[in-house]
Amino acid sequence: MTVMTYRDALNAALREEMRRDDRVFLMGEEVAVYQGAYKVSKGLLQEFGEMRVVDTPITELGFAGVGVGAAMVGLRPIIEFMTWNFALLALDQVVNAAAKMLYMSGGQFAMPMVFRGPNGAALQLGAQHSQAWESWLAHIPGLKVVAPGTPADAKGLLKAAVRDDNPVIVLEGEMLYNMKGEVPDGDHVIPLGVAEVKRVGEHVSLISYGKMVNVALQAADALARDGVHAEVLDLRTLRPMDVPAIVATVRKTNRCVVVEEGWELCGLGAQVADYVQREAFDWLDAPVLRVHQAEAPMPYARTLEKHAKPDVAKTVAAARKVLYLD
Amino acid sequence: MMARKKPDAASAALNRELLHSMLLQRRFEERTAEAYALGKIGGFCHLYIGQEAVSTGSLSQLRPDDYVITTYRDHGQALARGMTPRAVMAELFGRSDGCARGKGGSMHMFDKQLGFLGGHGIVGGHIPIATGVGFAIKYRGGDQVCVCFFGEAAINNGAFHEAANMAALWKLPVIYVIENNRYGMGTAIERASAINDIYERAQSYDMARDVVDGQDVFAVREAIGKAVQRARADSMPTLLEVRTYRFMGHSMSDAVSGTYRTKDELEEYLKRDPIALLRSRMEEAGEISADEIAAMDAEVKAVVQDALDFADASPELPLEALWENVLVDTTSDAGAMPARAG
């Protein structure tokens, strides 16, 4: 194990996969000379050269399409979006091209590519820079979607994403890049589609993913002080979702809170709640509750932003509610 | 390049191939319209009739290892690239033997072996993909080229400009062919574009550009030939505007003339049928006789009838096919970079 930041874990994953396979290249805004808007690609230009670490004009639709074309004829592109907010311009390529090419070509053209970048809110970036798009992306057949919440998962899931022969969406987080954690040494690859119990407990299940896993873990700490043992399940992959892991934890604890970053209506937690009602209805001792962003564009004002975001206090309150403690 | 003198055996043979290619597309689509009316083909179906000199003229200049990508008006280009009429017709019928297993349909013809990277249904969406193919060619150090067809209406789309800028910036071997058939569905070019000489848009990107008569297969061949040379030898892109006209409606649900173009206009353009033009030039040059043309036409019609019979007999997809090809089950081991797709 080596302690490193989430940023360095991603960097190591990129470096190792580019060394392993010369078809892999990184393309996006500021990834090369500037070394990455968030320094995730630091040093890669120097090691791999400008054909494999490619700065693009500010043209999300255009360079996402370049990645699709390169993948169609045998390369393995990694397309970096400076944030997923900007990737809305590129969704035609992600949804209409990458996600469907294999299907509409009757199996002829696989899309071995990765679209990655930070997703969700950071701090006071305002309405256009603070959005969490996981439910949009996880909605699309033909994509895989991962949301690593720790440095170890960031490395292992990104490496698996690069090796997968399907288009994989990697949702990172601006607030995660500086987070430190232990990362296994060696070729650390985490299979896609497998959730992980991050903390074992028996009273309530907190189901989460991405940076919200850390909120759920802190909430579990707070609950423990009152003698409540929460189990924290990290979905890690949002599509395909590890339904057996969801069902197992809820059948064990009989109570479920989903901690998600996006808005409520049609949010990711709605799907988790659906799996739970279908597969664990008779085990439930309380309705499934969801902790999510308030149904408003993200405000800039500090107090309002805090009020809008899902957080530890809201998660603790939801857990206490499903336990009928309040 | 057409000599109005003694027929040259080599060029006469080539010209017959060109005529055959164009005639096949024409007869194929005439029967496609019939099959559509009979309900054997569903959905949107956009015919290429009138534009055959563009597909044949362009694709006759390519090597087998080059790449082609196009729009939803893709039957003609699929055939001109060498896909079998059987595979294309079976795809239109939505059957198992279609070139995309019946999962693509009229707008999504694909053939990996032929480097035919699809018909694409979102106007402009495939233009950046062509730029990416050019990027991959350069990345691998190959000398292939990618020809990308799109209509004149797509030139106003942001995707075109983003893609063209990167191709020029990075010097990629892509030939962007604007099939200017004057109408983006029902909107005339004068009502959609601030400039009408749209090949001049290439100036914004310091890209080589040309404009050519799209009803004249030789003119198309010559212009594409230069662009292919520029791409293959110098890895430089070209924007080529080909002025053509579709003789049918935008799609099967659109009248041939009426609200947005007059019958008179259509009739003027029908006088410049690309197949009739080629045929009369070959006849004038003494390269082909009326009997030989009739024999070629009969042969082509038989091929198309065979394609229809084949498509009709091709099995429907089993229901479990719904779930196939959504994802692949594989992951990649490090491998050598392929010289090309497939």
Side-chain angles (χ1 to χ4, degrees):
Chain A
M1 292 280 186
T2 305
V3 173
M4 64 173 82
T5 62
Y6 188 101
R7 166 189 293 110
D8 289 342
L10 291 170
N11 181 275
L14 293 171
R15 194 181 296 274
E16 288 171 20
E17 292 308 300
M18 289 178 74
R19 283 179 185 163
R20 193 181 67 85
D21 188 337
D22 65 2
R23 297 169 299 179
V24 178
F25 68 94
L26 176 67
M27 174 175 276
E29 293 154 5
E30 309 291 2
V31 298
V33 173
Y34 194 86
Q35 306 281 290
Y38 295 99
K39 307 302 176 202
V40 170
S41 54
K42 190 174 180 187
L44 299 183
L45 171 67
Q46 286 67 27
E47 177 167 350
F48 298 104
E50 61 184 14
M51 205 66 215
R52 297 186 66 197
V53 185
V54 187
D55 278 329
T56 65
I58 301 176
T59 54
E60 283 80 8
L61 169 62
F63 68 75
V66 168
V68 169
M72 281 191 90
V73 296
L75 300 187
R76 305 181 72 85
I78 302 169
I79 300 298
E80 175 174 316
F81 294 122
M82 197 180 287
T83 98
W84 277 94
N85 294 286
F86 308 158
L88 295 203
L89 292 159
L91 279 191
D92 179 54
Q93 291 298 335
V94 176
V95 176
N96 273 319
K100 294 175 175 56
M101 205 69 78
L102 180 74
Y103 200 83
M104 38 181 213
S105 69
Q108 294 179 78
F109 289 97
M111 289 280 111
M113 65 187 304
V114 171
F115 296 100
R116 49 161 288 271
N119 176 59
L123 283 176
Q124 286 195 279
L125 298 183
Q128 292 181 330
H129 283 71
S130 306
Q131 303 170 97
W133 293 125
E134 57 270 24
S135 60
W136 280 25
L137 294 159
H139 188 60
I140 310 296
L143 298 179
K144 292 184 180 182
V145 182
V146 302
T150 66
D153 288 348
K155 183 174 183 190
L157 291 170
L158 179 54
K159 282 170 73 82
V162 174
R163 294 182 193 189
D164 201 281
D165 286 336
N166 298 289
V168 183
I169 306 291
V170 180
L171 302 172
E172 303 164 5
E174 281 153 279
M175 304 297 285
L176 287 169
Y177 288 134
N178 284 331
M179 174 192 179
K180 283 188 177 165
E182 287 194 329
V183 177
D185 296 320
D187 195 27
H188 174 55
V189 181
I190 297 171
L192 304 184
V194 181
E196 183 182 59
V197 175
K198 285 281 199 285
R199 177 184 178 124
V200 177
E202 64 276 5
H203 297 144
V204 57
S205 297
L206 306 179
I207 300 179
S208 192
Y209 56 90
K211 76 163 85 78
M212 289 297 126
V213 165
N214 300 293
V215 170
L217 286 167
Q218 289 168 45
D221 282 342
L223 288 162
R225 289 194 282 274
D226 292 331
V228 173
H229 300 148
E231 178 150 296
V232 176
L233 180 71
D234 180 357
L235 295 172
R236 299 201 292 197
T237 302
L238 307 182
R239 185 185 187 99
M241 210 181 277
D242 188 347
V243 180
I246 294 170
V247 173
T249 186
V250 176
R251 285 186 181 183
K252 175 183 169 189
T253 67
N254 314 113
R255 297 160 206 273
C256 176
V257 171
V258 187
V259 189
E260 57 190 294
E261 197 174 2
W263 290 297
E264 179 180 16
L265 193 86
C266 303
L268 203 88
Q271 186 61 48
V272 175
D274 176 56
Y275 288 135
V276 169
Q277 64 85 20
R278 264 192 275 167
E279 304 291 338
F281 187 79
D282 290 337
W283 282 262
L284 280 177
D285 287 342
V288 176
L289 290 187
R290 296 167 56 202
V291 181
H292 50 77
Q293 190 192 321
E295 291 278 89
M298 189 65 84
Y300 163 73
R302 190 186 296 261
T303 49
L304 287 185
E305 185 189 45
K306 187 174 182 320
H307 194 47
K309 283 178 170 175
D311 63 11
V312 173
K314 289 169 189 164
T315 305
V316 167
R320 291 182 65 85
K321 193 163 181 188
V322 298
L323 285 155
Y324 300 107
L325 291 174
D326 291 326
Chain B
M1 75 175 273
M2 261 308 298
R4 291 178 192 240
K5 48 183 182 187
K6 240 177 87 173
D8 166 297
S11 86
L14 170 68
N15 294 350
R16 270 172 198 256
E17 277 179 38
L18 298 177
L19 182 64
H20 189 273
S21 166
M22 290 164 67
L23 200 55
L24 174 63
Q25 294 168 62
R26 179 68 57 90
R27 298 301 183 220
F28 182 95
E29 286 209 314
E30 287 166 353
R31 299 299 303 277
T32 296
E34 236 176 76
Y36 191 90
L38 292 171
K40 290 188 179 287
I41 299 170
F44 292 134
C45 184
H46 309 83
L47 300 183
Y48 195 66
I49 289 175
Q51 303 181 208
E52 295 94 339
V54 185
S55 53
T56 295
S58 301
L59 301 183
S60 64
Q61 290 284 32
L62 296 191
R63 289 194 327 219
D65 63 341
D66 289 328
Y67 298 105
V68 181
I69 188 164
T70 188
T71 71
Y72 47 81
R73 196 180 302 284
D74 59 353
H75 316 156
Q77 285 140 356
L79 293 170
R81 182 59 177 164
M83 286 171 65
T84 66
R86 284 181 165 196
V88 179
M89 193 62 85
E91 188 60 35
L92 288 167
F93 277 44
R95 302 295 177 87
S96 302
D97 296 303
C99 63
R101 296 189 65 207
K103 290 184 156 183
S106 168
M107 299 187 281
H108 307 300
M109 301 286 171
F110 287 85
D111 191 320
K112 191 168 186 175
Q113 297 308 316
L114 294 172
F116 197 83
L117 306 178
H120 294 265
I122 308 296
V123 171
H126 67 295
I127 308 177
I129 298 176
T131 301
V133 173
F135 176 86
I137 292 167
K138 187 159 185 169
Y139 186 99
R140 293 190 302 235
D143 73 340
Q144 297 119 311
V145 304
C146 177
V147 171
C148 175
F149 295 100
F150 49 93
E152 86 291 338
I155 199 104
N156 301 310
N157 189 301
F160 164 75
H161 294 277
E162 298 188 16
N165 179 55
M166 283 185 279
L169 178 70
W170 295 336
K171 301 183 172 31
L172 303 179
V174 184
I175 300 149
Y176 301 94
V177 180
I178 310 164
E179 294 200 66
N180 179 1
N181 65 16
R182 299 211 11 82
Y183 295 93
M185 204 165 159
T187 304
I189 179 171
E190 296 81 7
R191 298 176 57 231
S193 176
I195 61 170
N196 295 333
D197 286 330
I198 50 178
Y199 64 97
E200 295 289 6
R201 301 259 183 127
Q203 284 196 62
S204 307
Y205 308 109
D206 196 21
M207 190 190 292
R209 59 195 185 277
D210 204 352
V211 58
V212 69
D213 176 5
Q215 305 310 89
D216 179 347
V217 69
F218 301 119
V220 175
R221 259 180 68 81
E222 191 184 339
I224 285 276
K226 285 182 198 160
V228 166
Q229 172 69 14
R230 190 177 293 121
R232 214 183 290 293
D234 307 326
S235 192
M236 292 295 276
T238 299
L239 180 67
L240 177 64
E241 179 184 348
V242 179
R243 291 186 175 162
T244 183
Y245 200 81
R246 67 171 148 72
F247 294 169
M248 310 297 283
H250 167 72
S251 70
M252 291 305 297
S253 58
D254 176 34
V256 174
S257 64
T259 57
Y260 62 90
R261 65 182 191 184
T262 64
K263 199 158 178 266
D264 289 348
E265 177 185 302
L266 178 67
E267 277 167 6
E268 273 309 299
Y269 276 99
L270 285 172
K271 291 176 190 162
R272 301 203 69 246
D273 181 326
I275 295 175
L277 289 180
L278 173 60
R279 200 177 53 206
S280 59
R281 284 175 72 170
M282 290 173 71
E283 282 173 332
E284 266 179 57
E287 292 177 357
I288 199 163
S289 68
D291 284 351
E292 287 171 316
I293 288 170
M296 185 189 284
D297 199 25
E299 182 264 324
V300 165
K301 282 178 171 166
V303 166
V304 173
Q305 183 60 53
D306 168 74
L308 286 158
D309 295 341
F310 175 82
D312 239 348
S314 176
E316 296 272 2
L317 288 147
L319 292 184
E320 56 268 26
L322 171 65
W323 309 104
E324 293 164 0
N325 312 130
V326 178
L327 294 168
V328 285
D329 296 331
T330 52
T331 53
S332 150
D333 294 322
M337 208 161 19
R340 73 181 303 276

